[in-house]
Amino acid sequence: AAGMFLRLLSDVRWQAANPKWRRMTGSRRSTSSTAEPHPVALPEQAQVVICGGGIMGTSVAYHLSKMGWKDIVLLEQGRLAAGTTRFSAGIVSTARHMSVELKMADYSNKLYQQLEQETGVSTGYVKTGSISLAQTQDRLISLKRIASSLNVMGIPCEIITPKQVAQLHPLINIHDLVGAMYVPEDALVSPANVSLALATAASRNGVQIHERTSVSHVAVQNGRVTGVETDRGQIRCQYFVNCAGQWAYELGHSGKEPVNIPLHACEHFYLLTHPLKEPLASDLPTVVDPDGRIYIRNWQGGILSGGFEKNPKPLFTEGRNQLEIHNLQEDWDHFEPLLSALLRRMPDLEALQIMQLVNCPESFTPDMRCIMGESPTVRGYFVLAGMNSAGISYGGGAGKYLAEWMVNGYPSENVWPLDLKRFGALQSSRTFLRHRVMEVMPLMYDLKVPRWDFQTGRQLRTSPLYDRLDAQGARWMEKHGFERVKYFVPPGKDLLDLDQSKTFYKPDWFDIVGSEVKCCKEAVCVIDMSSFTKFEISSTGDQALESLQYLFSNDLDVPVGHVVHTGMLNEKGGYENDCSIARLSKRSFFMISPTDQQVHCWAWLKNRLPDDSNLTMEDVTWKYTALNLIGPRAVDVLSELSYAPITPDHFPSLFCKEMSVGYANGIRVMSITHTGEPGFMLYIPIEYALHVYNEVMNMGQKYGIRNAGYYALRSLRIEKFFAFWGQDLDAFTTPMECGREFQVKLEKGMEFIGQETLLEQKQNGVYKRFTMFILEDHDTDMDLWPWWGEPIFRNGRYVGKTTSSAYSYTLERHVCLGFVQHFDEKTGEELVVTTDFVNQGEYEIDIAGQRFQAKAKLYPFSSLFTHRRRKDEMELSGYQGE
């Protein structure tokens, strides 16, 4: 009843604020869900059609109209904000691990704060602050890591003691707490009213809003959106935005050209109480108790409390669900653990009267990050959905980024971690999604230590060597659905112990990875790297070469058999992909990219290659198993197996040859290891994989061969100062900023994408520089480890964040890679970063609030590596983001 009353109130306000909109919808008889007449016909065409009138749809409409796009229609199948938005808890929280999520939440908070003033619609915005509680030391470390990020972003935040918690919130039982994080700027809003305020502003800017209109499917021609089919007729359009929340999956699959949007709904419970005898103050801080799995906020003088239970209930796996979300069944047995946690945290509530238990659907994604961006298969089809119950926190920022993406072609931040193209078709199996969300929902509040892995939906894409490696003690992680080895547990080690080791400190695998690294340096190791994305591009004439010369920054007109490291850049000179391309023949090229590039890179090339029947591109990822032979003895193993001369004279660095290995022929061998160590990559037709692996292992015995995994690879590449795409490199990083000028041929005789920006940077300098930091006063055994995302300070001032780090077994120190920026002390504007600026600073890395001295370098330590090395072996590349 309370919800209905709020809803009525907001309907009345919304119409009062909007005479124009009132004319459009005609007289409203009631807010019941009986069908109402549609006095206003739908327009025949529009530039943009947005489906979904919740916080996401209204935010996209608001931001598009602010950016000058006016010809927009927003369709809602029920009433505005009647979906998940209406049932949201209304907490705006900026405490996020990922910087892009943190920025979205911070922007949302600032937007909602001024929205009422801008629109005249009350949004219920109250700045309450939030307190995140820690019951364990590990949880406190996790909060301290978030606090370091918030502080350098200029968001006030402090780590406080249990006593201070009690002062801020008198009802909280603090006896089991070790500390907490207080973020004073966090807020509460009324979610439905925020949506209505955004809709009001959009409508004043010319956006047409039609309720009770459902989209049946999106019309597509030649891979582009051409229109939208609704239950009230068709609208022709250029852009379609799917903000349908938990219906986004079905809507994506409704057309002839399916768009995969991997999300799945779960039931989400929270309870509402009557006001306390002394009603709670409206500005009482929101409490998050992740170890108890609950959140608690003030609600009209009483309490609203919900959480993320360990055994969630997935919803609507089959077929379409209701138009508007009505409160689902109460389930007190299911809610009981969360209720007990609430009463433990606030014992005084025992006597309180409960008003109702609300159960509403909430959609979750396979990796707990929201989904935004353009579909890889249909141009002009954009998606914003799957908020993992942070819709209100992200609403403003996510709508802004998507609007920028549509208007400018790219958002103002690196949103790759949220991009729809990080998923392939394999993540949209209904069974996979159902099982994965049952794992994801409890993970919302689980402690996430570095390098944790999902347990569901595993062993989906595997190398033919999976069983062989598994039997030898492989420990697995997953990337883009592909199983990859972390390291190998030697016989006799306690396996259970290793799998349980979850820590922010020195991990249990430290010595295992150390011995794998030593073997790579002194003998020879094999790493299965089959998960790489592999494309073949060929043509009947010169079309392939000409197209690739335009799409890539390095010169690909090299002799047959040579391998080129190159960036695939965007107009701003940033890396859309970082890859190696081998010229197999005059007219065909073999392109190797990181694992998670499979969908993104394919879409990027497809949209930019000329539509020419003489030019073909094929995804051959599954056709080849890739083995990386690393180490000084790799050359001995390979020459014994192939009977072909493999000395540096016959087989120089960055070279590719088809050879036979053992009985198998047609194996592409490349003199490159993605680590800076000597060795070879073998691309083996899949049916020969087992044979070649067995031959290599047998022949390698006398050279001390062993298996190794990606953790060893990471340590090797980081101490050699190799940047990997997806971690160090992204769409906002140019080759000039990360010391890769030599991989760019500005004078290759034809223009390429991003060339103008790079010429400009060459002339005027860069605003950030990729730098290597060696930690000086850091105790590997006792101190917290750096993982990624740690703030970097130069002479006491914040200059950037680390992007990746690893322990270097050669230097016996931690190495962090990251970008250094130069901000003017008075104005804060960005200045050019010179070599002197980097070299003359005193640096510190902040790990969970503790600062460690670090030495900055712009070049790798070549003098420390005294192994014989071919003079051109220092190919500064490698790109398999972990």
Side-chain angles (χ1 to χ4, degrees):
M4 199 48 152
F5 175 64
L6 269 174
R7 186 61 228 188
L8 276 162
L9 255 179
S10 56
D11 272 350
V12 172
R13 282 188 199 131
W14 159 229
Q15 289 170 54
N18 252 312
K20 170 184 165 192
W21 202 80
R22 195 166 54 217
R23 285 200 305 277
M24 229 164 76
T25 50
S27 64
R28 291 214 167 179
R29 294 194 307 270
S30 74
T31 56
S32 71
S33 25
T34 52
E36 293 175 13
H38 295 285
V40 177
L42 293 182
E44 281 184 14
Q45 73 173 61
Q47 185 182 8
V48 184
V49 173
I50 301 170
C51 172
I55 184 82
M56 292 300 148
T58 53
S59 177
V60 172
Y62 171 86
H63 286 97
L64 282 174
S65 67
K66 277 265 193 227
M67 292 179 76
W69 282 20
K70 304 293 188 205
D71 186 12
I72 300 170
V73 175
L74 187 149
L75 306 176
E76 161 56 49
Q77 60 180 359
R79 286 164 318 179
L80 282 182
T84 312
T85 302
R86 170 169 143 222
F87 284 105
S88 155
I91 300 168
V92 183
S93 149
T94 45
R96 307 284 163 189
H97 285 280
M98 287 185 59
S99 86
V100 61
E101 294 181 333
L102 195 155
K103 286 173 181 167
M104 287 196 306
D106 186 42
Y107 172 83
S108 300
N109 195 348
K110 294 184 166 86
L111 172 72
Y112 302 159
Q113 204 170 340
Q114 52 84 38
L115 204 54
E116 190 164 332
Q117 196 182 345
E118 182 188 337
T119 60
V121 177
S122 157
T123 55
Y125 183 93
V126 185
K127 191 169 283 185
T128 58
S130 72
I131 307 171
S132 301
L133 310 177
Q135 294 180 28
T136 64
Q137 285 301 334
D138 268 353
R139 176 71 68 182
L140 192 58
I141 292 165
S142 171
L143 294 176
K144 284 177 176 172
R145 287 181 63 90
I146 294 176
S148 313
S149 285
L150 287 169
N151 282 323
V152 296
M153 303 277 299
I155 298 168
C157 166
E158 55 180 322
I159 296 293
I160 58 176
T161 62
K163 274 201 178 114
Q164 289 169 294
V165 172
Q167 286 160 5
L168 286 166
H169 201 309
L171 291 178
I172 286 190
N173 167 14
I174 59 169
H175 78 278
D176 58 349
L177 300 182
V178 294
M181 176 175 74
Y182 177 49
V183 185
E185 310 262 293
D186 280 357
L188 293 177
V189 292
S190 152
N193 289 6
V194 168
S195 280
L196 297 174
L198 291 168
T200 302
S203 156
R204 284 179 193 156
N205 278 337
V207 174
Q208 294 186 50
I209 299 175
H210 295 266
E211 293 183 304
R212 308 207 178 283
T213 308
S214 58
V215 173
S216 57
H217 67 263
V218 177
V220 177
Q221 260 179 344
N222 302 331
R224 283 204 80 94
V225 168
T226 56
V228 175
E229 200 65 58
T230 77
D231 56 354
R232 297 174 53 206
Q234 196 187 27
I235 307 176
R236 291 195 304 282
C237 64
Q238 293 159 277
Y239 296 94
F240 176 72
V241 189
N242 182 340
C243 296
Q246 51 163 347
W247 293 277
Y249 177 97
E250 276 100 2
L251 181 56
H253 278 259
S254 63
K256 287 194 181 77
E257 290 265 343
V259 172
N260 291 315
I261 304 167
L263 53 82
H264 197 297
C266 276
E267 297 185 21
H268 179 56
F269 295 88
Y270 59 81
L271 62 79
L272 299 170
T273 74
H274 288 287
L276 279 72
K277 282 201 181 75
E278 278 184 34
L280 293 178
S282 63
D283 59 357
L284 198 68
T286 298
V287 175
V288 178
D289 180 5
D291 298 306
R293 307 195 153 274
I294 52 168
Y295 57 82
I296 308 162
R297 60 157 282 194
N298 155 63
W299 185 74
Q300 298 182 1
I303 290 276
L304 181 159
S305 174
F308 299 100
E309 63 276 19
K310 280 187 169 160
N311 53 335
K313 296 162 70 174
L315 269 174
F316 311 133
T317 304
E318 305 80 29
R320 293 180 71 86
N321 41 29
Q322 318 97 302
L323 281 188
E324 279 175 22
I325 297 171
H326 299 295
N327 202 350
L328 301 159
Q329 295 299 307
E330 287 192 352
D331 186 341
W332 282 103
D333 293 342
H334 191 77
F335 190 72
E336 198 280 324
L338 299 181
L339 182 59
S340 317
L342 172 65
L343 295 174
R344 267 199 309 279
R345 191 54 60 218
M346 290 189 171
D348 298 1
L349 298 186
E350 285 282 7
L352 201 61
Q353 271 191 309
I354 290 171
M355 195 154 98
Q356 74 179 116
L357 181 63
V358 177
N359 171 5
C360 59
E362 179 60 67
S363 27
F364 294 88
T365 63
D367 60 2
M368 292 188 293
R369 305 199 294 263
C370 76
I371 296 175
M372 68 160 67
E374 190 173 16
S375 153
T377 49
V378 180
R379 302 288 304 270
Y381 191 122
F382 283 82
V383 179
L384 185 55
M387 292 294 142
N388 302 286
S389 86
I392 296 303
S393 295
Y394 297 155
K400 171 176 175 260
Y401 288 156
L402 195 78
E404 290 171 345
W405 203 329
M406 293 172 70
V407 175
N408 304 328
Y410 45 84
S412 55
E413 273 303 319
N414 170 35
V415 295
W416 168 248
L418 315 175
D419 193 329
L420 171 63
K421 292 186 277 297
R422 70 186 187 273
F423 295 119
L426 58 110
Q427 279 99 351
S428 65
S429 132
R430 265 310 205 191
T431 313
F432 165 79
L433 287 172
R434 184 182 175 89
H435 291 171
R436 176 58 67 86
V437 296
M438 290 169 76
E439 179 185 13
V440 159
M441 194 168 152
L443 274 171
M444 301 299 295
Y445 277 173
D446 277 353
L447 184 67
K448 286 181 271 300
V449 295
R451 315 251 167 263
W452 57 274
D453 300 291
F454 289 109
Q455 302 303 310
T456 52
R458 293 294 295 269
Q459 297 179 12
L460 196 54
R461 301 171 73 195
T462 57
S463 146
L465 306 175
Y466 181 87
D467 289 341
R468 278 298 306 264
L469 301 178
D470 199 51
Q472 296 175 74
R475 285 284 162 273
W476 302 91
M477 58 182 179
E478 167 258 342
K479 178 77 175 249
H480 204 68
F482 216 113
E483 296 293 330
R484 315 194 319 179
V485 183
K486 299 193 269 198
Y487 48 79
F488 286 83
V489 180
K493 260 275 196 202
D494 183 4
L495 302 188
L496 204 70
D497 182 37
L498 257 174
D499 290 339
Q500 300 308 315
S501 74
K502 301 269 195 280
T503 174
F504 290 100
Y505 290 91
K506 178 180 171 181
D508 287 357
W509 44 255
F510 181 80
D511 295 328
I512 294 177
V513 173
S515 59
E516 289 179 12
V517 166
K518 187 173 190 289
C519 187
C520 288
K521 296 261 183 205
E522 294 170 7
V524 55
C525 275
V526 180
I527 304 182
D528 182 341
M529 295 173 70
S530 306
S531 65
F532 274 165
T533 297
K534 304 176 269 291
F535 294 164
E536 276 176 22
I537 299 158
S538 53
S539 58
T540 50
D542 292 335
Q543 300 93 329
L545 178 65
E546 282 166 15
S547 307
L548 295 181
Q549 286 284 52
Y550 172 65
L551 291 167
F552 293 91
S553 58
N554 209 337
D555 190 357
L556 295 176
D557 197 359
V558 291
V560 169
H562 281 247
V563 181
V564 177
H565 282 304
T566 177
M568 178 172 93
L569 309 181
N570 54 35
E571 281 71 13
K572 304 188 301 299
Y575 280 98
E576 288 296 330
N577 182 7
D578 178 37
C579 53
S580 302
I581 299 181
R583 190 166 193 181
L584 300 178
S585 72
K586 276 279 192 227
R587 291 166 182 172
S588 71
F589 297 83
F590 185 49
M591 172 178 169
I592 300 134
S593 312
T595 304
D596 48 4
Q597 275 280 1
Q598 196 166 11
V599 177
H600 172 251
C601 178
W602 180 268
W604 179 271
L605 291 173
K606 218 47 187 162
N607 292 338
R608 285 163 183 79
L609 285 171
D611 194 9
D612 182 343
S613 56
N614 296 317
L615 179 67
T616 57
M617 176 167 74
E618 188 189 357
D619 184 345
V620 293
T621 300
W622 61 275
K623 284 190 180 177
Y624 292 95
T625 297
L627 290 182
N628 195 350
L629 245 61
I630 303 183
R633 309 310 299 262
V635 60
D636 303 315
V637 175
L638 201 57
S639 52
E640 285 209 42
L641 281 173
S642 62
Y643 294 106
I646 304 192
T647 55
D649 314 335
H650 294 93
F651 208 130
S653 180
L654 292 180
F655 201 66
C656 170
K657 246 185 202 169
E658 277 215 353
M659 298 165 57
S660 39
V661 176
Y663 298 151
N665 53 16
I667 288 156
R668 292 177 186 168
V669 178
M670 298 188 194
S671 43
I672 165 184
T673 62
H674 310 302
T675 58
E677 298 296 330
F680 301 90
M681 284 291 300
L682 275 56
Y683 288 93
I684 308 159
I686 206 152
E687 64 266 38
Y688 301 143
L690 211 53
H691 169 75
V692 172
Y693 174 78
N694 291 339
E695 291 287 302
V696 166
M697 291 310 275
N698 293 337
M699 186 59 75
Q701 297 255 267
K702 57 183 171 193
Y703 300 108
I705 198 164
R706 65 180 286 173
N707 290 301
Y710 271 82
Y711 283 11
L713 189 85
R714 196 172 84 248
S715 172
L716 290 168
R717 72 98 179 166
I718 285 178
E719 71 179 18
K720 286 291 201 309
F721 199 15
F722 277 24
F724 271 23
W725 189 88
Q727 241 176 314
D728 309 305
L729 307 179
D730 59 42
F732 287 77
T733 315
T734 75
M736 303 299 180
E737 294 163 349
C738 59
R740 298 251 186 117
E741 298 87 343
F742 62 93
Q743 287 183 18
V744 175
K745 297 290 182 285
L746 289 167
E747 288 81 41
K748 64 177 176 182
M750 61 177 296
E751 64 168 322
F752 59 86
I753 301 178
Q755 191 173 18
E756 276 178 46
T757 311
L758 300 187
L759 282 165
E760 213 171 286
Q761 285 191 336
K762 191 177 179 181
Q763 237 171 348
N764 307 336
V766 294
Y767 290 98
K768 60 178 181 181
R769 274 299 282 276
F770 193 50
T771 311
M772 175 177 185
F773 297 94
I774 291 90
L775 292 189
E776 302 265 284
D777 56 347
H778 182 271
D779 183 330
T780 307
D781 294 324
M782 302 305 294
D783 287 327
L784 283 171
W785 275 30
W787 295 96
W788 58 274
E790 289 85 15
I792 303 164
F793 291 87
R794 179 188 180 275
N795 302 347
R797 290 173 55 89
Y798 171 68
V799 288
K801 281 188 174 180
T802 64
T803 49
S804 57
S805 61
Y807 181 79
S808 161
Y809 294 89
T810 315
L811 300 172
E812 297 184 346
R813 288 242 195 315
H814 256 99
V815 177
C816 301
L817 308 182
F819 286 92
V820 169
Q821 289 166 285
H822 184 183
F823 301 106
D824 185 288
E825 297 203 15
K826 293 187 181 68
T827 62
E829 72 165 321
E830 285 192 288
L831 303 173
V832 168
V833 177
T834 60
T835 309
D836 285 349
F837 178 81
V838 175
N839 289 335
Q840 288 164 8
E842 296 280 317
Y843 290 90
E844 293 170 305
I845 306 283
D846 175 324
I847 305 177
Q850 190 179 352
R851 293 190 190 180
F852 295 93
Q853 288 173 357
K855 193 175 189 154
K857 290 186 67 69
L858 285 168
Y859 302 98
F861 280 94
S862 47
S863 57
L864 285 161
F865 304 110
T866 51
H867 300 304
R868 68 192 161 83
R869 164 139 326 108
R870 310 169 189 174
K871 60 182 188 304
D872 53 354
E873 173 58 33
M874 287 302 289
E875 11 117 334
L876 265 182
S877 163
Y879 40 73
Q880 181 65 1
E882 291 106 41

